[in-house]
């Protein structure tokens, strides 16, 4: 068991280096995005060829519509770095905006702060402070703290809701989110770059053949996932241990890189016999998803770079851009310029939602940095 000793805060330089690591990792993914998605995503959830949002349904699941409201608790893990703070503030603003709208099953909210110490957002955002991993154990891969944070939070917190949504700071609720889970089956977003079958040799180090077919490992990460609390209590310690084992294995670490912790959650779930309902309407990711449609969460992990003709410039810095990594040391300014004509609706909506949040959050620049 990992000790609970408070390890203190990481240095600002360390956190900046970690964020820069995410920057390079993201742009390495751009090549895959281009190869797999070309000029855009054709998943038109408003009636196109992929109008059914459910990609995969575990056997024996009986889907129902309507009925009793089944609330879920929104939980996101975060650090006390400025880069994390300003994203959390925007995320929490939109949670409050959509929480009570028709169609929403949102319940309470917790920011699980794994920096080990309270910060200046404790009064603004409901927060539980947990410890980071012991110094050096994450090897600079800060998201390894995520499963450990959930283990601690689930042990110490009183959570009224039966379900939990695992979310991230760079999520914006663009439509009221219902509970997409059904009974013992959690709901998750399928990531095109999580491909267990293509990494079967590596996956089998952690999910032996005797456990079941490789298809039992879902193409997901831990977020976004809506899951019953008791299932997450079972999975989280395994998720933490598999993450650490994967990081300790050079072949696995090299193959999975910055999505290692996502694979670890997928494997941990399979080890517990938990399959997920795969919902491609759970989330959209600008600039690759072009329209918001009926999707529920905007995930702004990728840089949005365009020339003034409204053409996407892929991994090249554009004449107009919005990239969260441009704001590592502090928040973006209020009233960001809107994209030029021709830029997809998803990107325009993202910038407008960021602008609305920053215009209405008090002490935007001061409290997002301090």
């Amino acid at each position: 068991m990992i000790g609970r000793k408070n390890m203190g805060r990481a240095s600002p330089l360390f956190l900046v280096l970690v964020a820069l690591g995410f920057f390079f990792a993201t742009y390495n993914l751009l090549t895959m995005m281009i190869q797999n998605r070309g000029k855009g995503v054709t998943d038109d959830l408003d009636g196109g060829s992929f109008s059914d949002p459910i990609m995969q349904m575990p056997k024996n699941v009986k889907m129902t519509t309507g009925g009793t409201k089944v609330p879920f608790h929104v939980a996101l893990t975060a650090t006390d770095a400025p880069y994390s703070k300003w994203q959390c503030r925007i995320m929490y603003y939109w949670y409050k905006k959509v929480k009570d709208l028709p169609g929403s099953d949102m319940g309470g909210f917790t920011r699980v702060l794994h920096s080990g110490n309270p910060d200046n957002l404790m009064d603004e955002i409901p927060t539980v402070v947990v410890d980071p991993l012991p110094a050096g154990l994450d090897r600079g891969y800060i998201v390894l703290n995520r499963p450990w944070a959930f283990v601690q939070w689930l042990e110490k917190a009183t959570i009224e809701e039966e379900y939990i949504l695992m979310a991230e700071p760079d999520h914006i609720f663009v439509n009221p989110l219902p509970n997409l889970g059904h009974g013992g089956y959690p709901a998750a977003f399928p990531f095109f770059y999580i491909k267990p079958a293509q990494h079967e040799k590596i996956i089998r180090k952690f999910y032996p053949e005797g456990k079941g077919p490789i298809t039992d490992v879902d193409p997901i990460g831990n977020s976004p996932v809506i899951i019953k609390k008791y299932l997450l209590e079972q999975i989280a310690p395994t998720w933490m241990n598999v993450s650490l084992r994967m990081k300790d294995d050079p072949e696995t670490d090299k193959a999975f890189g910055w999505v290692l912790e996502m694979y670890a959650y997928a494997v941990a779930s399979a080890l517990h016999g938990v399959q997920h309902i795969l919902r491609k309407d759970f989330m959209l990711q600008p600039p690759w998803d072009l329209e918001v449609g009926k999707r529920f969460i905007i995930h702004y992990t990728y840089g949005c770079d365009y020339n003034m003709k409204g053409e996407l410039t892929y991994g090249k810095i554009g004449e107009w851009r919005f990239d969260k990594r441009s704001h590592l040391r502090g928040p973006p300014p209020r009233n960001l310029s809107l994209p030029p004509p021709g830029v997809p609706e998803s990107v325009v909506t993202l910038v407008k939602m960021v602008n609305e949040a920053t215009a209405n959050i008090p002490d935007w620049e001061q409290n997002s940095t301090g």
Side-chain angles (χ1 to χ4, degrees):
M1 187 67 172
I2 296 175
R4 298 294 177 82
K5 183 179 179 181
N6 188 336
M7 303 306 296
R9 299 189 183 194
S11 70
L13 176 60
F14 171 76
L15 294 173
V16 169
L17 290 174
V18 168
L20 286 172
F22 278 109
F23 173 84
F24 291 117
T26 294
Y27 279 98
N28 286 337
L29 282 174
L30 285 173
T31 300
M32 289 191 296
M33 297 294 291
I34 295 168
Q35 291 174 347
N36 283 269
R37 297 199 173 188
K39 294 183 178 180
V41 177
T42 58
D43 291 14
D44 182 357
L45 296 175
D46 289 316
S49 59
F50 292 90
S51 57
D52 183 358
I54 301 176
M55 274 187 62
Q56 177 177 304
M57 178 68 66
K59 295 179 180 179
N60 303 320
V61 177
K62 294 182 179 180
M63 297 292 291
T64 59
T65 57
T68 306
K69 183 181 178 73
V70 183
F72 56 84
H73 194 96
V74 180
L76 75 154
T77 52
T79 75
D80 61 358
Y83 178 68
S84 178
K85 283 182 177 180
W86 67 258
Q87 294 174 53
C88 288
R89 299 184 83 193
I90 291 173
M91 195 266 202
Y92 185 58
Y93 171 86
W94 283 104
Y95 157 81
K96 291 188 294 183
K97 285 275 289 189
V98 305
K99 176 181 182 293
D100 296 320
L101 294 179
S104 168
D105 284 332
M106 291 180 176
F109 186 103
T110 301
R111 179 180 63 136
V112 185
L113 180 63
H114 56 75
S115 300
N117 295 289
D119 65 6
N120 64 333
L121 297 182
M122 303 293 291
D123 293 333
E124 178 179 334
I125 304 176
T127 300
V128 170
V129 179
V130 297
D131 292 333
L133 289 167
L137 195 59
D138 63 18
R139 300 183 187 176
Y141 180 51
I142 199 168
V143 292
L144 274 186
N145 287 280
R146 185 176 293 151
W148 174 223
F150 272 110
V151 169
Q152 296 174 81
W153 176 61
L154 290 165
E155 286 182 354
K156 70 192 299 186
T158 300
I159 306 161
E160 296 181 358
E161 296 84 358
E162 185 181 4
Y163 286 82
I164 292 170
L165 164 66
M166 292 186 282
E168 296 182 11
D170 59 354
H171 287 176
I172 291 177
F173 296 106
V174 69
N175 281 311
L177 178 60
N179 189 335
L180 302 176
H182 289 270
Y185 294 98
F189 177 79
F191 290 90
F192 81 92
Y193 51 82
I194 302 297
K195 300 179 178 180
Q198 290 191 10
H199 296 283
E200 181 166 4
K201 178 184 174 183
I202 292 174
I203 294 289
R204 288 304 187 188
K205 294 183 179 183
F206 312 94
Y207 189 71
E209 290 188 14
K211 290 290 185 178
I214 201 70
T215 52
D216 285 351
V217 181
D218 292 326
I220 60 172
N222 82 291
S223 178
V225 166
I226 298 177
I227 186 171
K228 278 198 169 183
K229 179 173 59 179
Y230 84 89
L231 287 176
L232 185 56
E233 288 172 341
Q234 295 173 11
I235 292 170
T238 307
W239 172 28
M240 178 187 70
N241 290 328
V242 171
S243 295
L244 294 172
R245 286 175 56 206
M246 285 184 170
K247 191 64 180 175
D248 282 340
D249 183 77
E251 182 185 20
T252 306
D253 190 24
K254 181 179 179 180
F256 292 164
W258 286 83
V259 296
L260 179 149
E261 168 265 344
M262 296 173 68
Y263 272 102
Y265 175 80
V267 168
S269 299
L271 287 169
H272 285 274
V274 175
Q275 292 181 286
H276 296 72
I277 301 167
L278 303 186
R279 296 284 302 237
K280 61 178 179 283
D281 62 340
F282 209 152
M283 191 166 74
L284 70 146
Q285 301 186 95
W288 311 105
D289 295 301
L290 307 182
E291 297 180 359
V292 173
K294 297 177 182 178
R295 296 174 177 89
F296 301 108
I297 294 172
I298 293 179
H299 182 213
Y300 57 98
T301 190
Y302 298 104
C304 300
D305 290 278
Y306 292 86
N307 61 29
M308 298 313 292
K309 296 179 181 180
E311 299 169 334
L312 184 63
T313 59
Y314 299 109
K316 180 180 178 181
I317 293 177
E319 297 172 273
W320 181 93
R321 75 180 328 230
F322 175 74
D323 188 338
K324 66 179 184 178
R325 293 163 194 80
S326 299
H327 310 285
L328 299 177
R329 295 181 178 273
R334 286 172 163 155
N335 197 28
L336 295 169
S337 64
L338 293 179
V343 171
E345 175 213 15
S346 62
V347 179
V348 176
T349 301
L350 167 61
V351 176
K352 286 182 176 179
M353 295 185 81
V354 168
N355 280 344
E356 178 179 332
T358 60
N360 289 283
I361 296 174
D363 302 316
W364 170 245
E365 292 189 355
Q366 179 181 354
N367 285 354
S368 297
T369 305

